[in-house]
Amino acid sequence: MDTATAEVTTDAGLLQLLWLASPALPVGGFSYSEGLEAAVEAGHVDGEASASDWITDQLHLSLARSDLPVVASALTAWREGDHARLQALNAWVLQTRETRELRQQTEQMGRSLAEWARSLGELGDGLADRLMAARLDPPSYPVACACALASRPGPARQALLAFAFGWAENMVQAAIKSVPLGQGAGQRILARLSRHIPGAVDHALTLGDTERQAFTPGLAILSARHETQYSRLFRS
């Protein structure tokens, strides 16, 4: 076993990954459906199979091309203390959100993660101070979360797996509530997503700044419609 692999299998490193991937992390990710609720309203998602396909496509076409590569780049920048790089990555995330709803989501979750870091006090090992020193105004969620993930040892791949699984759990919960689906269906969707996440992460790790993209016009249209949807369970 190499040193990097050994580092991520320590108890402390594993527990921190589980903590940051948990839907119990108080950042509000469960409050958003990222266009899924609008897709249900429009009839594009109407059961387990279509919900599974929808979230899997979003994983590969959106998350793996934008947020996951940002997290990977931000991890390196946090570990090197490169604030200029972090500010550039943060600006890219904010500028490429395709609707007001999606931008509000990343801003709210980024601010909530910073508040969570402050609430930890000395237990946060300086996380709040690092976020403040970077002067991200406001911090986007991928860049802020990368700060927390960067404080543990080990390769970026493990951090990205945790980030992607946390996203997947929130999306599955959104599907359970909005389609609606039973818990068994939700667990089957999560099992399918777990098979796709490693490949999505590996793809994200190959992308440089000029290859990263945020272009999902169909999702953007649904997100825009969701902002004025008559009946909603999830936040705009």
Side-chain angles (χ1 to χ4, degrees):
M1 181 182 293
D2 61 34
T3 303
T5 303
E7 286 177 336
V8 297
T9 55
T10 62
D11 291 345
L14 176 59
L15 287 171
Q16 191 169 20
L17 283 179
L18 292 172
W19 188 10
L20 293 169
S22 171
L25 194 71
V27 295
F30 63 88
S31 304
Y32 299 95
S33 74
E34 300 187 16
L36 177 60
E37 187 174 28
V40 173
E41 177 75 10
H44 301 311
V45 175
D46 58 5
E48 178 181 342
S50 55
S52 180
D53 289 345
W54 183 273
I55 301 171
T56 300
D57 285 347
Q58 190 171 347
L59 168 69
H60 289 295
L61 300 175
S62 179
L63 201 77
R65 295 178 177 181
S66 57
D67 285 15
L68 288 177
V70 167
V71 172
S73 296
L75 280 168
T76 300
W78 282 116
R79 288 170 176 169
E80 295 176 351
D82 188 345
H83 291 173
R85 173 70 167 154
L86 290 167
Q87 290 163 8
L89 289 166
N90 196 66
W92 186 88
V93 173
L94 297 177
Q95 291 164 5
T96 56
R97 286 307 193 247
E98 294 181 287
T99 65
R100 180 179 61 178
E101 176 177 271
L102 294 174
R103 175 156 176 161
Q104 287 176 340
Q105 176 184 351
T106 200
E107 289 182 3
Q108 181 269 303
M109 291 178 66
R111 284 193 298 266
S112 294
L113 191 137
E115 289 293 335
W116 167 76
R118 282 191 286 273
S119 75
L120 293 176
E122 63 182 17
L123 296 174
D125 297 323
L127 172 59
D129 292 337
R130 289 193 296 276
L131 282 167
M132 184 175 296
R135 297 183 179 179
L136 308 174
D137 187 25
S140 67
Y141 184 65
V143 176
C145 191
C147 183
L149 290 164
S151 64
R152 50 161 297 283
R157 188 173 189 272
Q158 298 293 324
L160 266 63
L161 287 169
F163 184 92
F165 189 78
W167 170 87
E169 282 199 296
N170 282 324
M171 291 302 298
V172 168
Q173 286 302 313
I176 288 173
K177 294 174 183 177
S178 61
V179 174
L181 300 172
Q183 293 293 332
Q187 288 299 300
R188 288 190 293 272
I189 294 173
L190 195 58
R192 296 183 192 107
L193 284 167
S194 295
R195 297 178 180 178
H196 284 267
I197 285 173
V201 165
D202 289 338
H203 176 70
L205 288 168
T206 69
L207 300 180
D209 285 353
T210 59
E211 299 164 305
R212 194 173 60 237
Q213 61 176 288
F215 182 67
T216 49
L219 187 63
I221 291 169
L222 287 167
S223 176
R225 289 177 178 173
H226 186 254
E227 293 174 358
T228 58
Q229 188 169 315
Y230 175 73
S231 177
R232 298 194 307 267
L233 294 173
F234 297 93
R235 294 179 63 178
S236 291

